[in-house]
Every structure is written in structure tokens, then in C-alpha cells.
Amino acid sequence: MGEKGATPDLDGSDLSIAIVVARFNEDVTKRLLRGAEGALKEHGVEDPDVFWVPGSLELPVTALALAEKGAHDAIIALGAVIRGETFHFEVVAMQSAQGLMQVQLDTGVPVAFGVLTTEDKDQALARSGPMNNKGAEAAEAALEMANLLRQIQG
Ligand code: INI
């Protein structure tokens, strides 16, 4: 098979992408969504399907439903878990991450992790801006993984 993925293939022109985004801390997650949509557009994905859910804990089951339906090559999960604003920060952050990991391993559909876990709102805003945007980063990871898995699966 030779060497694959040394240079990431981010071409999205032939890919169908879903974005699941949490409404909790919506001021931050809207910025992540904007970043993800911008990166997708840059790489040829015109019209990603976007699904809003209440919070980061609802991201996994929604990603699972989408992955099982099989209509998308990759899923991008976006959320913001901010320590200063919750007593159960660890629970939300860990369960969301574990759930999303489980979905990709159980279904084989790549799920990019665009859930911010930060100490405070300022850190969350700094990672969802125009220059540094975790949503855009997750979008590129989703494209790379969709193309890589397609190559491996033939
Ligand atoms: N959901 C988040 O996405 N981020 C948070 O910081 C957060 N806090 O602080 O609790 C949060 N909680 C809601 C949770 O994801 C569920 O929506 C809720 O528990 C209902 O299941």
C-alpha cells in the first residue's frame, strides 16, 4: 500500500459531512461552527448538514444515529465545556469525549472532536476565534480522516 497520509488529503469536494453542535455555551459554539463551516468551504464542502443538540452530553448519541444511518463520510462534533461554569465539568468533558470515541470505533465513521474543554470563558473565546479555531481544526481532521479511511477501505 506504500505510504499514505504524510500529506493530508483535505479535498472535500466528493465528501458528505455532518456537523453536530451543542447549544450550551452557544456564544462559543456558534464561533466553532463558523470556523468549521469556513474550513469545509475552503476545502470544497458547500453544504454540510448541521444538527443542534442541547449540550455536549447529547453529541455522542446524535453522532451515533448519523453514523449508523451511513449518509455521511465524517462527522464533526462541536461543544464547549467550561470549568468555571459547571460543578460537573469532568463528567461532561469525559463522557462527551468517551462517547464520541466509542461512536467512531463502533461504526468506523470518523468523528472529529471539536469540543473545547477550558478553565474559563476567555480561553474558550481564544480558541474559537478567526485565527485559532478548534472548529476549523476539527473540520480539517474530519476531511483528512474521511479521505484516508476511504483510501484504506478501497
Ligand atoms: N454542556 C456543555 O456542552 N457544556 C457545559 O459546560 C455544560 N455544563 O456546564 O454543565 C453542559 N452541560 C449540559 C449537558 O451537556 C447536557 O445537555 C445536560 O446535562 C442534559 O443532558
Side-chain angles (χ1 to χ4, degrees):
M1 206 176 216
E3 185 172 332
K4 303 284 180 206
T7 306
D9 177 0
L10 299 179
D11 181 9
S13 55
D14 190 30
L15 296 176
S16 172
I17 304 293
I19 303 174
V20 190
V21 54
R23 210 175 296 112
F24 205 101
N25 291 319
E26 192 176 21
D27 50 339
V28 175
T29 62
K30 271 187 177 162
R31 291 157 61 100
L32 293 173
L33 178 61
R34 211 174 304 142
E37 286 178 329
L40 291 178
K41 192 165 189 182
E42 203 177 301
H43 295 294
V45 180
E46 278 305 323
D47 224 357
D49 293 314
V50 179
F51 301 87
W52 284 90
V53 300
S56 294
L57 285 178
E58 284 72 38
L59 294 171
V61 72
T62 314
L64 179 64
L66 287 164
E68 284 181 336
K69 191 149 192 210
H72 299 96
D73 299 292
I75 298 163
I76 301 161
L78 303 177
V81 191
I82 300 175
R83 186 190 291 276
E85 295 177 10
T86 174
F87 289 113
H88 56 301
F89 171 88
E90 270 83 11
V91 175
V92 178
M94 285 296 294
Q95 292 301 322
S96 174
Q98 277 177 3
L100 292 168
M101 179 58 75
Q102 192 184 320
V103 171
Q104 57 176 346
L105 294 179
D106 286 354
T107 63
V109 177
V111 180
F113 188 69
V115 179
L116 289 174
T117 54
T118 63
E119 293 297 322
D120 54 39
K121 178 65 77 67
D122 281 351
Q123 283 185 358
L125 290 172
R127 288 163 203 179
S128 58
M131 303 309 285
N132 177 10
N133 191 301
K134 183 86 180 162
E137 232 176 75
E140 292 196 340
L143 296 176
E144 178 174 352
M145 288 308 299
N147 284 323
L148 182 66
L149 293 184
R150 188 178 271 188
Q151 251 193 355
I152 290 169
Q153 285 153 2

mmCIF file of all heavy atoms in Angstrom, residues 63-104:
data_model
loop_
_atom_site.group_PDB
_atom_site.id
_atom_site.type_symbol
_atom_site.label_atom_id
_atom_site.label_comp_id
_atom_site.label_asym_id
_atom_site.label_seq_id
_atom_site.Cartn_x
_atom_site.Cartn_y
_atom_site.Cartn_z
ATOM 1 N N ALA A 63 -24.344 11.727 17.113
ATOM 2 C CA ALA A 63 -23.322 11.246 16.173
ATOM 3 C C ALA A 63 -23.543 9.773 15.848
ATOM 4 O O ALA A 63 -23.378 9.342 14.700
ATOM 5 C CB ALA A 63 -21.927 11.455 16.770
ATOM 6 N N LEU A 64 -23.961 9.001 16.851
ATOM 7 C CA LEU A 64 -24.210 7.571 16.621
ATOM 8 C C LEU A 64 -25.354 7.374 15.616
ATOM 9 O O LEU A 64 -25.235 6.568 14.687
ATOM 10 C CB LEU A 64 -24.549 6.871 17.944
ATOM 11 C CG LEU A 64 -24.854 5.382 17.836
ATOM 12 C CD1 LEU A 64 -23.633 4.604 17.352
ATOM 13 C CD2 LEU A 64 -25.329 4.812 19.175
ATOM 14 N N ALA A 65 -26.438 8.121 15.808
ATOM 15 C CA ALA A 65 -27.577 8.000 14.888
ATOM 16 C C ALA A 65 -27.144 8.330 13.459
ATOM 17 O O ALA A 65 -27.508 7.630 12.502
ATOM 18 C CB ALA A 65 -28.706 8.921 15.328
ATOM 19 N N LEU A 66 -26.342 9.371 13.319
ATOM 20 C CA LEU A 66 -25.875 9.767 11.987
ATOM 21 C C LEU A 66 -24.931 8.719 11.405
ATOM 22 O O LEU A 66 -25.034 8.354 10.230
ATOM 23 C CB LEU A 66 -25.163 11.119 12.067
ATOM 24 C CG LEU A 66 -26.084 12.323 12.286
ATOM 25 C CD1 LEU A 66 -25.288 13.531 12.741
ATOM 26 C CD2 LEU A 66 -26.845 12.626 10.995
ATOM 27 N N ALA A 67 -24.013 8.244 12.235
ATOM 28 C CA ALA A 67 -23.040 7.253 11.748
ATOM 29 C C ALA A 67 -23.757 5.975 11.331
ATOM 30 O O ALA A 67 -23.427 5.372 10.297
ATOM 31 C CB ALA A 67 -22.004 6.960 12.829
ATOM 32 N N GLU A 68 -24.747 5.557 12.103
ATOM 33 C CA GLU A 68 -25.471 4.320 11.763
ATOM 34 C C GLU A 68 -26.297 4.492 10.502
ATOM 35 O O GLU A 68 -26.475 3.560 9.735
ATOM 36 C CB GLU A 68 -26.356 3.898 12.939
ATOM 37 C CG GLU A 68 -25.531 3.280 14.064
ATOM 38 C CD GLU A 68 -26.369 2.812 15.239
ATOM 39 O OE1 GLU A 68 -27.490 3.334 15.414
ATOM 40 O OE2 GLU A 68 -25.881 1.938 15.977
ATOM 41 N N LYS A 69 -26.780 5.692 10.269
ATOM 42 C CA LYS A 69 -27.559 5.945 9.051
ATOM 43 C C LYS A 69 -26.657 5.830 7.813
ATOM 44 O O LYS A 69 -27.099 5.407 6.757
ATOM 45 C CB LYS A 69 -28.213 7.324 9.130
ATOM 46 C CG LYS A 69 -29.232 7.568 8.066
ATOM 47 C CD LYS A 69 -30.340 8.473 8.512
ATOM 48 C CE LYS A 69 -31.452 8.423 7.484
ATOM 49 N NZ LYS A 69 -32.199 9.662 7.402
ATOM 50 N N GLY A 70 -25.406 6.202 7.969
ATOM 51 C CA GLY A 70 -24.426 5.967 6.908
ATOM 52 C C GLY A 70 -24.452 6.955 5.757
ATOM 53 O O GLY A 70 -23.886 6.685 4.697
ATOM 54 N N ALA A 71 -25.069 8.098 5.940
ATOM 55 C CA ALA A 71 -25.176 9.053 4.832
ATOM 56 C C ALA A 71 -23.985 10.024 4.758
ATOM 57 O O ALA A 71 -23.878 10.787 3.807
ATOM 58 C CB ALA A 71 -26.472 9.846 4.958
ATOM 59 N N HIS A 72 -23.116 9.993 5.787
ATOM 60 C CA HIS A 72 -22.015 10.957 5.808
ATOM 61 C C HIS A 72 -20.660 10.246 5.883
ATOM 62 O O HIS A 72 -20.540 9.190 6.487
ATOM 63 C CB HIS A 72 -22.179 11.904 7.007
ATOM 64 C CG HIS A 72 -23.446 12.702 6.948
ATOM 65 N ND1 HIS A 72 -24.600 12.327 7.599
ATOM 66 C CD2 HIS A 72 -23.738 13.845 6.281
ATOM 67 C CE1 HIS A 72 -25.551 13.216 7.339
ATOM 68 N NE2 HIS A 72 -25.065 14.136 6.548
ATOM 69 N N ASP A 73 -19.651 10.863 5.272
ATOM 70 C CA ASP A 73 -18.300 10.295 5.300
ATOM 71 C C ASP A 73 -17.586 10.610 6.602
ATOM 72 O O ASP A 73 -16.644 9.896 6.976
ATOM 73 C CB ASP A 73 -17.485 10.846 4.121
ATOM 74 C CG ASP A 73 -18.116 10.472 2.794
ATOM 75 O OD1 ASP A 73 -18.109 9.281 2.462
ATOM 76 O OD2 ASP A 73 -18.653 11.365 2.113
ATOM 77 N N ALA A 74 -17.986 11.665 7.263
ATOM 78 C CA ALA A 74 -17.383 12.029 8.551
ATOM 79 C C ALA A 74 -18.338 12.944 9.302
ATOM 80 O O ALA A 74 -19.216 13.589 8.706
ATOM 81 C CB ALA A 74 -16.042 12.734 8.354
ATOM 82 N N ILE A 75 -18.140 12.972 10.610
ATOM 83 C CA ILE A 75 -18.984 13.787 11.490
ATOM 84 C C ILE A 75 -18.067 14.687 12.314
ATOM 85 O O ILE A 75 -17.012 14.237 12.790
ATOM 86 C CB ILE A 75 -19.816 12.876 12.420
ATOM 87 C CG1 ILE A 75 -20.754 11.989 11.575
ATOM 88 C CG2 ILE A 75 -20.605 13.699 13.435
ATOM 89 C CD1 ILE A 75 -21.319 10.800 12.326
ATOM 90 N N ILE A 76 -18.485 15.926 12.475
ATOM 91 C CA ILE A 76 -17.722 16.867 13.308
ATOM 92 C C ILE A 76 -18.580 17.197 14.522
ATOM 93 O O ILE A 76 -19.727 17.622 14.377
ATOM 94 C CB ILE A 76 -17.430 18.169 12.522
ATOM 95 C CG1 ILE A 76 -16.636 17.853 11.249
ATOM 96 C CG2 ILE A 76 -16.689 19.179 13.392
ATOM 97 C CD1 ILE A 76 -16.706 18.963 10.203
ATOM 98 N N ALA A 77 -18.032 16.979 15.723
ATOM 99 C CA ALA A 77 -18.773 17.268 16.955
ATOM 100 C C ALA A 77 -18.203 18.536 17.588
ATOM 101 O O ALA A 77 -16.992 18.636 17.815
ATOM 102 C CB ALA A 77 -18.657 16.092 17.919
ATOM 103 N N LEU A 78 -19.079 19.496 17.865
ATOM 104 C CA LEU A 78 -18.642 20.784 18.408
ATOM 105 C C LEU A 78 -19.350 21.085 19.724
ATOM 106 O O LEU A 78 -20.576 20.938 19.830
ATOM 107 C CB LEU A 78 -18.969 21.910 17.412
ATOM 108 C CG LEU A 78 -18.395 21.774 16.000
ATOM 109 C CD1 LEU A 78 -18.886 22.932 15.130
ATOM 110 C CD2 LEU A 78 -16.871 21.746 16.023
ATOM 111 N N GLY A 79 -18.575 21.502 20.722
ATOM 112 C CA GLY A 79 -19.165 21.856 22.008
ATOM 113 C C GLY A 79 -18.178 22.689 22.805
ATOM 114 O O GLY A 79 -17.012 22.849 22.416
ATOM 115 N N ALA A 80 -18.646 23.210 23.932
ATOM 116 C CA ALA A 80 -17.775 23.998 24.813
ATOM 117 C C ALA A 80 -18.105 23.641 26.250
ATOM 118 O O ALA A 80 -19.227 23.873 26.708
ATOM 119 C CB ALA A 80 -17.977 25.490 24.568
ATOM 120 N N VAL A 81 -17.137 23.056 26.938
ATOM 121 C CA VAL A 81 -17.307 22.714 28.348
ATOM 122 C C VAL A 81 -16.330 23.602 29.120
ATOM 123 O O VAL A 81 -15.116 23.538 28.903
ATOM 124 C CB VAL A 81 -17.025 21.222 28.604
ATOM 125 C CG1 VAL A 81 -17.469 20.853 30.021
ATOM 126 C CG2 VAL A 81 -17.732 20.340 27.583
ATOM 127 N N ILE A 82 -16.890 24.442 29.995
ATOM 128 C CA ILE A 82 -16.088 25.463 30.674
ATOM 129 C C ILE A 82 -16.091 25.203 32.179
ATOM 130 O O ILE A 82 -17.152 25.187 32.799
ATOM 131 C CB ILE A 82 -16.639 26.870 30.343
ATOM 132 C CG1 ILE A 82 -16.577 27.082 28.814
ATOM 133 C CG2 ILE A 82 -15.859 27.950 31.082
ATOM 134 C CD1 ILE A 82 -17.196 28.381 28.334
ATOM 135 N N ARG A 83 -14.900 24.973 32.726
ATOM 136 C CA ARG A 83 -14.794 24.542 34.124
ATOM 137 C C ARG A 83 -15.438 25.530 35.101
ATOM 138 O O ARG A 83 -16.204 25.145 35.967
ATOM 139 C CB ARG A 83 -13.330 24.337 34.513
ATOM 140 C CG ARG A 83 -13.172 23.757 35.898
ATOM 141 C CD ARG A 83 -11.736 23.773 36.366
ATOM 142 N NE ARG A 83 -10.901 22.857 35.630
ATOM 143 C CZ ARG A 83 -10.766 21.562 35.899
ATOM 144 N NH1 ARG A 83 -11.445 21.020 36.882
ATOM 145 N NH2 ARG A 83 -9.966 20.794 35.197
ATOM 146 N N GLY A 84 -15.126 26.814 34.925
ATOM 147 C CA GLY A 84 -15.621 27.828 35.845
ATOM 148 C C GLY A 84 -17.136 27.893 35.931
ATOM 149 O O GLY A 84 -17.675 28.498 36.843
ATOM 150 N N GLU A 85 -17.830 27.282 34.971
ATOM 151 C CA GLU A 85 -19.279 27.449 34.913
ATOM 152 C C GLU A 85 -20.042 26.172 35.220
ATOM 153 O O GLU A 85 -21.251 26.101 35.026
ATOM 154 C CB GLU A 85 -19.658 27.986 33.532
ATOM 155 C CG GLU A 85 -19.075 29.378 33.337
ATOM 156 C CD GLU A 85 -19.335 29.977 31.983
ATOM 157 O OE1 GLU A 85 -20.134 29.412 31.228
ATOM 158 O OE2 GLU A 85 -18.712 31.011 31.695
ATOM 159 N N THR A 86 -19.348 25.132 35.681
ATOM 160 C CA THR A 86 -20.070 23.894 35.987
ATOM 161 C C THR A 86 -19.401 23.145 37.132
ATOM 162 O O THR A 86 -18.171 23.152 37.257
ATOM 163 C CB THR A 86 -20.158 22.957 34.763
ATOM 164 O OG1 THR A 86 -20.749 21.736 35.184
ATOM 165 C CG2 THR A 86 -18.813 22.682 34.159
ATOM 166 N N PHE A 87 -20.232 22.523 37.957
ATOM 167 C CA PHE A 87 -19.690 21.691 39.030
ATOM 168 C C PHE A 87 -19.324 20.310 38.520
ATOM 169 O O PHE A 87 -18.596 19.576 39.156
ATOM 170 C CB PHE A 87 -20.701 21.585 40.175
ATOM 171 C CG PHE A 87 -20.847 22.869 40.943
ATOM 172 C CD1 PHE A 87 -22.020 23.584 40.904
ATOM 173 C CD2 PHE A 87 -19.783 23.378 41.691
ATOM 174 C CE1 PHE A 87 -22.147 24.781 41.600
ATOM 175 C CE2 PHE A 87 -19.908 24.579 42.392
ATOM 176 C CZ PHE A 87 -21.094 25.279 42.346
ATOM 177 N N HIS A 88 -19.876 19.938 37.388
ATOM 178 C CA HIS A 88 -19.580 18.590 36.890
ATOM 179 C C HIS A 88 -18.817 18.645 35.560
ATOM 180 O O HIS A 88 -19.060 17.890 34.649
ATOM 181 C CB HIS A 88 -20.829 17.712 36.826
ATOM 182 C CG HIS A 88 -21.950 18.267 36.007
ATOM 183 N ND1 HIS A 88 -22.557 19.467 36.249
ATOM 184 C CD2 HIS A 88 -22.604 17.751 34.943
ATOM 185 C CE1 HIS A 88 -23.515 19.674 35.376
ATOM 186 N NE2 HIS A 88 -23.564 18.647 34.561
ATOM 187 N N PHE A 89 -17.873 19.584 35.512
ATOM 188 C CA PHE A 89 -17.021 19.762 34.325
ATOM 189 C C PHE A 89 -16.399 18.446 33.859
ATOM 190 O O PHE A 89 -16.478 18.081 32.686
ATOM 191 C CB PHE A 89 -15.915 20.766 34.670
ATOM 192 C CG PHE A 89 -14.825 20.913 33.650
ATOM 193 C CD1 PHE A 89 -14.951 21.818 32.604
ATOM 194 C CD2 PHE A 89 -13.655 20.157 33.730
ATOM 195 C CE1 PHE A 89 -13.940 21.963 31.657
ATOM 196 C CE2 PHE A 89 -12.640 20.296 32.797
ATOM 197 C CZ PHE A 89 -12.791 21.206 31.757
ATOM 198 N N GLU A 90 -15.765 17.729 34.809
ATOM 199 C CA GLU A 90 -15.062 16.487 34.440
ATOM 200 C C GLU A 90 -16.022 15.477 33.817
ATOM 201 O O GLU A 90 -15.688 14.802 32.852
ATOM 202 C CB GLU A 90 -14.371 15.849 35.653
ATOM 203 C CG GLU A 90 -12.941 16.317 35.868
ATOM 204 C CD GLU A 90 -12.867 17.632 36.624
ATOM 205 O OE1 GLU A 90 -13.915 18.067 37.149
ATOM 206 O OE2 GLU A 90 -11.773 18.226 36.671
ATOM 207 N N VAL A 91 -17.207 15.376 34.418
ATOM 208 C CA VAL A 91 -18.184 14.389 33.926
ATOM 209 C C VAL A 91 -18.591 14.725 32.492
ATOM 210 O O VAL A 91 -18.545 13.870 31.596
ATOM 211 C CB VAL A 91 -19.445 14.363 34.830
ATOM 212 C CG1 VAL A 91 -20.501 13.439 34.246
ATOM 213 C CG2 VAL A 91 -19.072 13.933 36.231
ATOM 214 N N VAL A 92 -18.962 15.986 32.269
ATOM 215 C CA VAL A 92 -19.424 16.368 30.926
ATOM 216 C C VAL A 92 -18.287 16.203 29.910
ATOM 217 O O VAL A 92 -18.468 15.620 28.832
ATOM 218 C CB VAL A 92 -19.963 17.830 30.923
ATOM 219 C CG1 VAL A 92 -20.399 18.224 29.521
ATOM 220 C CG2 VAL A 92 -21.125 17.977 31.893
ATOM 221 N N ALA A 93 -17.102 16.698 30.265
ATOM 222 C CA ALA A 93 -15.978 16.639 29.320
ATOM 223 C C ALA A 93 -15.597 15.193 29.002
ATOM 224 O O ALA A 93 -15.452 14.817 27.833
ATOM 225 C CB ALA A 93 -14.777 17.391 29.908
ATOM 226 N N MET A 94 -15.464 14.380 30.042
ATOM 227 C CA MET A 94 -15.017 12.986 29.831
ATOM 228 C C MET A 94 -16.064 12.147 29.104
ATOM 229 O O MET A 94 -15.740 11.386 28.206
ATOM 230 C CB MET A 94 -14.710 12.309 31.178
ATOM 231 C CG MET A 94 -13.429 12.751 31.824
ATOM 232 S SD MET A 94 -11.998 12.322 30.834
ATOM 233 C CE MET A 94 -12.077 10.547 30.940
ATOM 234 N N GLN A 95 -17.311 12.284 29.536
ATOM 235 C CA GLN A 95 -18.348 11.452 28.928
ATOM 236 C C GLN A 95 -18.572 11.830 27.472
ATOM 237 O O GLN A 95 -18.828 10.965 26.631
ATOM 238 C CB GLN A 95 -19.665 11.554 29.720
ATOM 239 C CG GLN A 95 -19.589 10.938 31.098
ATOM 240 C CD GLN A 95 -19.217 9.459 31.040
ATOM 241 O OE1 GLN A 95 -19.652 8.736 30.160
ATOM 242 N NE2 GLN A 95 -18.403 9.019 31.972
ATOM 243 N N SER A 96 -18.478 13.086 27.185
ATOM 244 C CA SER A 96 -18.641 13.529 25.803
ATOM 245 C C SER A 96 -17.499 12.958 24.941
ATOM 246 O O SER A 96 -17.739 12.380 23.878
ATOM 247 C CB SER A 96 -18.644 15.059 25.769
ATOM 248 O OG SER A 96 -18.667 15.505 24.448
ATOM 249 N N ALA A 97 -16.278 13.097 25.436
ATOM 250 C CA ALA A 97 -15.124 12.597 24.673
ATOM 251 C C ALA A 97 -15.178 11.075 24.513
ATOM 252 O O ALA A 97 -14.962 10.544 23.412
ATOM 253 C CB ALA A 97 -13.829 13.012 25.370
ATOM 254 N N GLN A 98 -15.474 10.392 25.607
ATOM 255 C CA GLN A 98 -15.525 8.918 25.540
ATOM 256 C C GLN A 98 -16.632 8.443 24.611
ATOM 257 O O GLN A 98 -16.464 7.511 23.833
ATOM 258 C CB GLN A 98 -15.742 8.330 26.935
ATOM 259 C CG GLN A 98 -14.448 8.216 27.718
ATOM 260 C CD GLN A 98 -14.663 7.701 29.137
ATOM 261 O OE1 GLN A 98 -15.769 7.373 29.533
ATOM 262 N NE2 GLN A 98 -13.591 7.642 29.896
ATOM 263 N N GLY A 99 -17.794 9.106 24.722
ATOM 264 C CA GLY A 99 -18.929 8.719 23.882
ATOM 265 C C GLY A 99 -18.612 8.899 22.406
ATOM 266 O O GLY A 99 -18.920 8.038 21.577
ATOM 267 N N LEU A 100 -17.988 10.005 22.081
ATOM 268 C CA LEU A 100 -17.666 10.263 20.665
ATOM 269 C C LEU A 100 -16.613 9.294 20.155
ATOM 270 O O LEU A 100 -16.687 8.818 19.018
ATOM 271 C CB LEU A 100 -17.220 11.720 20.498
ATOM 272 C CG LEU A 100 -18.341 12.746 20.724
ATOM 273 C CD1 LEU A 100 -17.780 14.161 20.835
ATOM 274 C CD2 LEU A 100 -19.368 12.671 19.590
ATOM 275 N N MET A 101 -15.643 8.983 21.008
ATOM 276 C CA MET A 101 -14.638 7.990 20.615
ATOM 277 C C MET A 101 -15.290 6.635 20.357
ATOM 278 O O MET A 101 -14.978 5.944 19.381
ATOM 279 C CB MET A 101 -13.576 7.882 21.702
ATOM 280 C CG MET A 101 -12.492 6.853 21.424
ATOM 281 S SD MET A 101 -11.612 7.166 19.863
ATOM 282 C CE MET A 101 -10.588 8.554 20.326
ATOM 283 N N GLN A 102 -16.220 6.272 21.253
ATOM 284 C CA GLN A 102 -16.916 4.986 21.099
ATOM 285 C C GLN A 102 -17.676 4.929 19.779
ATOM 286 O O GLN A 102 -17.683 3.899 19.101
ATOM 287 C CB GLN A 102 -17.882 4.814 22.264
ATOM 288 C CG GLN A 102 -18.449 3.411 22.387
ATOM 289 C CD GLN A 102 -19.469 3.369 23.527
ATOM 290 O OE1 GLN A 102 -19.251 3.980 24.575
ATOM 291 N NE2 GLN A 102 -20.560 2.688 23.315
ATOM 292 N N VAL A 103 -18.296 6.038 19.400
ATOM 293 C CA VAL A 103 -19.065 6.050 18.145
ATOM 294 C C VAL A 103 -18.152 5.768 16.958
ATOM 295 O O VAL A 103 -18.473 4.933 16.102
ATOM 296 C CB VAL A 103 -19.787 7.414 17.945
ATOM 297 C CG1 VAL A 103 -20.393 7.495 16.553
ATOM 298 C CG2 VAL A 103 -20.863 7.598 19.001
ATOM 299 N N GLN A 104 -17.001 6.418 16.928
ATOM 300 C CA GLN A 104 -16.162 6.175 15.748
ATOM 301 C C GLN A 104 -15.583 4.772 15.739
ATOM 302 O O GLN A 104 -15.482 4.141 14.679
ATOM 303 C CB GLN A 104 -15.118 7.258 15.505
ATOM 304 C CG GLN A 104 -14.157 7.561 16.596
ATOM 305 C CD GLN A 104 -13.123 8.604 16.147
ATOM 306 O OE1 GLN A 104 -12.974 8.906 14.962
ATOM 307 N NE2 GLN A 104 -12.392 9.152 17.091
#
